[in-house]
Amino acid sequence: MTAYTLGDVARICGVSPRRLRYWERTALVLASPRDGSRTAFDFRDLVSVRSLVGLLQGGLPLRRIRKGLDLVRERLPQVDSLAALRAWGSPPRVVVRCEGRLMEPDGQLLLDFHAAPAAAVAELPPAGEFSQRLALQWFERGCDLDGERASYAEAARAYERALELDPHFADAHCNLGAVRYNQSRRDDARRCFERTVALVPGHVEANLNLGALCEEDGRDERALGYYRAALESNPLLPDTHVSLALVYEKLGLRRTALAHWKRLLQLAPNGHWADVARRRLSSQPN
């Protein structure tokens, strides 16, 4: 069965790798295990991601999709979760197609007529949960805006609003750092990335970004520590092996660098860095 990398799925489905990585980290989309420990996407996973993108394009907010998905996974485990969700009505609502029928995500609500008056009054979530939901909405808005220079400032405001609501939102700190770096505000970016790893020491993207900043400052040994932390958290990410190979070369540890070039080719045999890896390996004496 064909296995797809996160980059493959992002490209096919038209989403940013950063957003897809966040969806996977928060279990909105699930990748299938491979070879015991390796994780990749198969065709069924790809269909699920496409379904999620379609729901978003259909006008459903991510928070409503997530709530519906949680209910489906809990109440209807036999259903193929995301692929079964549909946008229905105007304004759109989440429904489930199961055995040719449309139903509410909990599988019961439409039939429970005697409870309709009570169901019409929704119980408010606890204050902390409500803040987290709002923070997630602002985070998603930031993700929509941070890909274009013209909207960097608006994206930063969205991430800052998310952090006002949830100061422990590690991904929001990291994404804000990326925006600040793109705005040439390196010190602010560094603080954001450092806050991220303080909250989540194994945060891959923040460790890679801190490593890159250290390399720019000529602190290669310090960069190596961040890259190793990223590798420990996710040994299957090709970008980490590229960063490690390059910094090991600068430190004069060519044999160790070659090991990472070899591992890169196993994980991602195509593309620019794969070509670089082959040139590095072919230049070595037998």
Side-chain angles (χ1 to χ4, degrees):
M1 183 177 294
T2 302
Y4 301 88
T5 67
L6 184 141
D8 292 333
V9 176
R11 184 171 59 257
I12 292 169
C13 297
V15 297
S16 70
R18 180 184 299 167
R19 171 170 286 194
L20 181 55
R21 191 175 295 119
Y22 176 74
W23 288 348
E24 182 188 8
R25 188 182 300 132
T26 57
L28 188 61
V29 297
L30 304 174
S32 301
R34 294 274 178 258
D35 302 328
S37 60
R38 184 178 179 182
T39 299
F41 293 86
D42 61 19
F43 183 74
R44 183 174 178 178
D45 304 324
L46 178 63
V47 170
S48 292
V49 176
R50 280 178 167 170
S51 297
L52 174 57
V53 172
L55 291 169
L56 291 169
Q57 292 174 343
L60 281 168
L62 187 69
R63 67 186 185 281
R64 199 173 301 166
I65 298 171
R66 190 181 296 274
K67 182 177 180 181
L69 183 60
D70 288 343
L71 281 171
V72 170
R73 287 172 175 169
E74 176 186 354
R75 306 288 180 84
L76 300 167
Q78 75 278 13
V79 172
D80 189 9
S81 300
L82 269 172
L85 297 186
R86 299 287 187 275
W88 183 79
S90 181
R93 59 196 283 195
V94 176
V95 297
V96 183
R97 178 169 292 280
C98 179
E99 297 179 352
R101 296 175 296 169
L102 292 176
M103 61 179 67
E104 297 286 352
D106 62 8
Q108 299 293 327
L109 187 58
L110 290 175
L111 301 178
D112 192 9
F113 296 110
H114 68 276
V121 181
E123 181 179 354
L124 289 176
E129 181 183 345
F130 185 70
S131 294
Q132 289 176 346
R133 290 182 183 179
L134 286 178
L136 184 60
Q137 293 177 46
W138 282 108
F139 176 83
E140 287 291 326
R141 177 162 177 75
C143 289
D144 287 335
L145 294 166
D146 68 8
E148 300 290 338
R149 181 176 297 275
S151 54
Y152 283 164
E154 193 175 354
R157 284 193 293 272
Y159 290 134
E160 288 171 340
R161 186 71 183 101
L163 291 168
E164 289 172 7
L165 292 159
D166 183 2
H168 301 288
F169 198 159
D171 285 322
H173 282 288
C174 187
N175 285 14
L176 178 59
V179 173
R180 292 309 187 202
Y181 181 84
N182 289 333
Q183 293 176 314
S184 300
R185 296 171 57 174
R186 294 178 77 257
D187 290 341
D188 290 338
R190 188 189 304 276
R191 282 190 287 270
C192 290
F193 298 140
E194 288 174 344
R195 179 57 178 158
T196 305
V197 298
L199 291 167
V200 182
H203 197 285
V204 174
E205 189 170 354
N207 275 295
L208 289 176
N209 289 336
L210 282 168
L213 285 172
C214 288
E215 280 198 82
E216 290 179 3
D217 295 338
R219 301 164 62 201
D220 295 333
E221 292 282 358
R222 182 61 173 159
L224 182 59
Y226 286 120
Y227 294 150
R228 284 173 171 168
L231 180 69
E232 183 177 353
S233 182
N234 183 359
L236 302 177
L237 185 65
D239 289 351
T240 306
H241 291 280
V242 171
S243 297
L244 281 164
L246 292 171
V247 78
Y248 275 126
E249 286 181 347
K250 288 199 290 184
L251 292 170
L253 300 171
R254 297 184 61 81
R255 182 173 298 178
T256 309
L258 290 174
H260 286 286
W261 287 126
K262 289 178 181 177
R263 186 62 176 134
L264 169 67
L265 286 176
Q266 293 172 344
L267 295 171
N270 300 309
H272 168 72
W273 286 115
D275 294 338
V276 172
R278 290 188 182 92
R279 288 196 295 270
R280 294 289 206 278
L281 292 168
S282 64
S283 67
Q284 298 305 304
N286 293 328

